[in-house]
Amino acid sequence: MRRRPGIGGLQNAVVARDQYRLLGENVAKLRTDLMKEQLTTFRSQLEDFARKHKNDIRKNPAFRSQFHEMCAKVGVDPLASNKGFWAELLGIGDFYYELGVQIVEICLATRPHNGGLINLEELCKLLCQRRKGARETVSEDDCLRAISKLKVLGSGFEVISVGKRKLVRSVPTELNKDHNEILELAQAQGFVTVEEVERRLSWSSGRATDALETLLDEGLAMIDDGHRDGRRRYWFPCVSSISSYVGADTL
Amino acid sequence: MQKLGDLKLPHFFNYPPYFTLQPVRDTREKQVQLWKELILDYCRTQKIFVIGLEEDFPLFTNSVIERSLSHEARVAFLSALVSDGRAEWMDKGHRKCLILWHRIQEWADLILRFVKENGLEDSVMTVEEIRSGTESRGTDLHGMDRTVLMRALKQLENKGKLAIFKGTSADDEGVKFSL
């Protein structure tokens, strides 16, 4: 005959449950403590590492970029604040803010020529020219990081990819897919003609003319009627290296 | 980099669209600005005072990229210089343009300095001597345009710094400095 549940059985069950809970809590606490300890160790090691390789981080752009990657993986953003341990230790906050200011200046100075769209490569080259005196070299990765910090200003600084190249946009122009395709096409020679756009992209002539007119109005293109064949060419300073020259003259 | 005479040409000179007048306002303003500076620099280094729009002018053609400024573009750039006070049309048809790479006032100052440096404060010189004599050699005054020189001298005459008088020969005038 099966025993019916009695008061003793119920009490036993309650005691058992309490004990399980206690045990569980202990285990969980142990684990958290362990994790906390590991994180502290990790953090202090990362700090040690940063301290030890401070100069490399400052001077070597490749090393700097790898360090950023490592920090990102463990959820530390050395650029998040200009105060606190990381900034004090490395001074990289200031480094990127300085780059940011210089990037804005270059974009403004070259804007009349390129309509506010500049090749990342060119921008980087101009930045290095400007910073000739500074000891640290600057990589494209640094430019991108500095630009990402500029976003908080809401001034419409943005990096767009066109074909294989990256362009930095400093005016709030919206470029649609058609415009991007034309820019990509122009990378080969620095210019396109209406015929070429129609042929290569299989567009109607209206569509090609329309997109080119917009790019012209935005100051991103310049017309050239001087060629022997009499066909109008649309040049794009943002994809030619000319932007650096004209920009460098006025900087 | 390409050179024209002693002048290092700016890079935009090799970018074909700069030889076509741009239709969009902002782009054109930048283009006009760059050309104005180039024209003044070129005339300064080559000591050119007059640009004839219907003649060949080396600066307005770039054979490397096979581009040449249209008549319309030439007029546009020179007109911009005229409105800046850095050039003057010499005829109503806008065929000849006088380039003032020094303003008349600056030329007058140069003449005063030249007079002081050479101790000519109370001397008499002919206009021709000022532009081609040995004293002015090596200064901007040497070989300068006669019309521009006369205008600078007139300005100084009005201020009482000198007196211009007819010389013995009919084709030259004399200047008596009185500083």
Side-chain angles (χ1 to χ4, degrees):
Chain A
M1 192 179 117
R2 205 172 144 259
R3 256 188 85 182
R4 282 176 22 214
I7 203 88
L10 282 177
Q11 277 168 345
N12 274 345
V14 167
V15 171
R17 209 183 307 136
D18 273 353
Q19 277 177 344
Y20 278 133
R21 193 170 45 86
L22 260 173
L23 194 68
E25 271 170 8
N26 273 335
V27 172
K29 193 174 175 302
L30 270 174
R31 283 224 182 119
T32 345
D33 285 352
L34 201 67
M35 282 290 274
K36 270 188 190 154
E37 206 181 299
Q38 275 180 350
L39 273 177
T40 325
T41 321
F42 197 86
R43 195 187 147 89
S44 76
Q45 295 219 337
L46 193 62
E47 287 173 7
D48 280 347
F49 178 86
R51 203 172 277 127
K52 206 166 141 195
H53 296 282
K54 192 173 159 182
N55 283 335
D56 286 322
I57 292 171
R58 276 200 189 148
K59 281 185 193 150
N60 183 346
F63 196 91
R64 187 159 55 232
S65 130
Q66 280 162 0
F67 177 72
H68 275 298
E69 220 169 278
M70 196 166 80
C71 288
K73 274 186 189 147
V74 296
V76 175
D77 182 4
L79 298 181
S81 156
N82 202 25
K83 292 193 186 78
F85 166 78
W86 290 98
E88 273 166 37
L89 179 65
L90 296 169
I92 35 188
D94 286 338
F95 172 71
Y96 284 101
Y97 294 132
E98 196 182 300
L99 279 193
V101 171
Q102 286 166 340
I103 287 173
V104 173
E105 282 170 359
I106 290 171
C107 286
L108 284 180
T110 56
R111 194 180 284 177
H113 173 70
N114 57 30
L117 202 57
I118 187 169
N119 208 335
L120 180 61
E121 225 174 285
E122 293 297 326
L123 179 63
C124 199
K125 208 158 75 191
L126 285 174
L127 200 58
C128 290
Q129 271 173 26
R130 274 203 75 146
R131 298 174 57 85
K132 245 179 238 151
R135 284 171 306 150
E136 312 96 341
T137 40
V138 177
S139 68
E140 288 185 11
D141 182 76
D142 291 325
C143 286
L144 291 177
R145 252 171 238 290
I147 293 165
S148 74
K149 292 293 139 191
L150 289 176
K151 271 194 192 141
V152 296
L153 298 176
S155 56
F157 269 81
E158 199 182 25
V159 180
I160 54 176
S161 293
V162 174
K164 281 181 205 138
R165 291 197 210 193
K166 284 199 169 70
L167 302 177
V168 179
R169 200 186 68 181
S170 60
V171 285
T173 317
E174 278 300 326
L175 291 180
N176 64 26
K177 200 163 149 287
D178 282 8
H179 302 143
N180 275 328
E181 280 183 64
I182 289 177
L183 284 177
E184 198 173 338
L185 198 61
Q187 283 176 12
Q189 296 172 285
F191 69 85
V192 295
T193 62
V194 177
E195 293 84 357
E196 195 186 354
V197 173
E198 286 169 23
R199 186 167 42 82
R200 295 278 298 278
L201 302 174
S202 319
W203 289 359
S204 69
S205 87
R207 184 174 173 190
T209 318
D210 201 49
L212 286 169
E213 282 302 315
T214 311
L215 288 167
L216 204 60
D217 285 342
E218 295 291 349
L220 295 172
M222 291 178 85
I223 55 162
D224 164 30
D225 292 335
H227 195 268
R228 249 185 282 121
D229 65 15
R231 291 208 183 102
R232 175 170 284 189
R233 284 157 162 67
Y234 291 82
W235 291 80
F236 297 89
C238 57
V239 299
S240 326
S241 55
I242 183 81
S243 63
S244 70
Y245 302 136
V246 178
D249 291 344
T250 51
L251 271 180
Chain B
M1 202 189 302
Q2 269 172 285
K3 277 189 161 189
L4 255 185
D6 297 331
L7 182 70
K8 265 168 100 189
L9 287 167
H11 293 273
F12 84 82
F13 194 68
N14 284 320
Y15 199 55
Y18 276 98
F19 283 82
T20 300
L21 213 49
Q22 294 302 310
V24 177
R25 208 195 63 205
D26 287 356
T27 320
R28 184 196 288 226
E29 270 171 21
K30 171 76 178 175
Q31 179 190 26
V32 169
Q33 184 59 34
L34 288 170
W35 273 103
K36 279 196 303 198
E37 287 162 18
L38 179 60
I39 293 170
L40 288 180
D41 281 349
Y42 179 72
C43 291
R44 187 178 297 121
T45 53
Q46 306 294 307
K47 295 211 159 210
I48 292 169
F49 288 86
V50 178
I51 296 179
L53 269 84
E54 273 144 26
E55 297 149 34
D56 278 339
F57 191 63
L59 193 65
F60 291 162
T61 301
N62 184 348
S63 52
V64 176
I65 55 165
E66 299 183 319
R67 292 293 186 279
S68 200
L69 284 183
S70 66
H71 187 265
E72 191 197 1
R74 292 172 197 214
V75 173
F77 300 151
L78 291 174
S79 299
L81 279 175
V82 170
S83 50
D84 283 358
R86 303 308 297 264
E88 284 168 17
W89 292 112
M90 297 168 77
D91 56 343
K92 277 193 182 151
H94 293 185
R95 277 186 299 270
K96 275 187 159 189
C97 192
L98 183 71
I99 308 296
L100 297 169
W101 36 274
H102 284 315
R103 295 165 196 273
I104 297 295
Q105 177 60 47
E106 290 163 3
W107 281 115
D109 292 344
L110 283 173
I111 294 169
L112 287 184
R113 197 194 306 159
F114 163 77
V115 167
K116 280 177 193 153
E117 276 170 8
N118 289 279
L120 300 165
E121 279 92 339
D122 296 308
S123 311
V124 175
M125 276 184 103
T126 66
V127 173
E128 268 317 297
E129 269 177 326
I130 297 176
R131 30 186 313 257
S132 50
T134 44
E135 289 90 347
S136 69
R137 202 161 286 165
T139 68
D140 278 350
L141 298 180
H142 199 76
M144 77 179 280
D145 183 79
R146 198 182 161 93
T147 330
V148 178
L149 178 56
M150 285 314 293
R151 291 206 5 221
L153 290 173
K154 286 260 162 59
Q155 196 184 82
L156 289 171
E157 187 179 36
N158 290 339
K159 286 184 184 163
K161 306 271 189 194
L162 53 81
I164 303 171
F165 57 88
K166 279 269 175 259
T168 41
S169 63
D171 58 341
D172 201 8
E173 282 154 302
V175 178
K176 165 89 172 78
F177 298 111
S178 50
L179 294 185

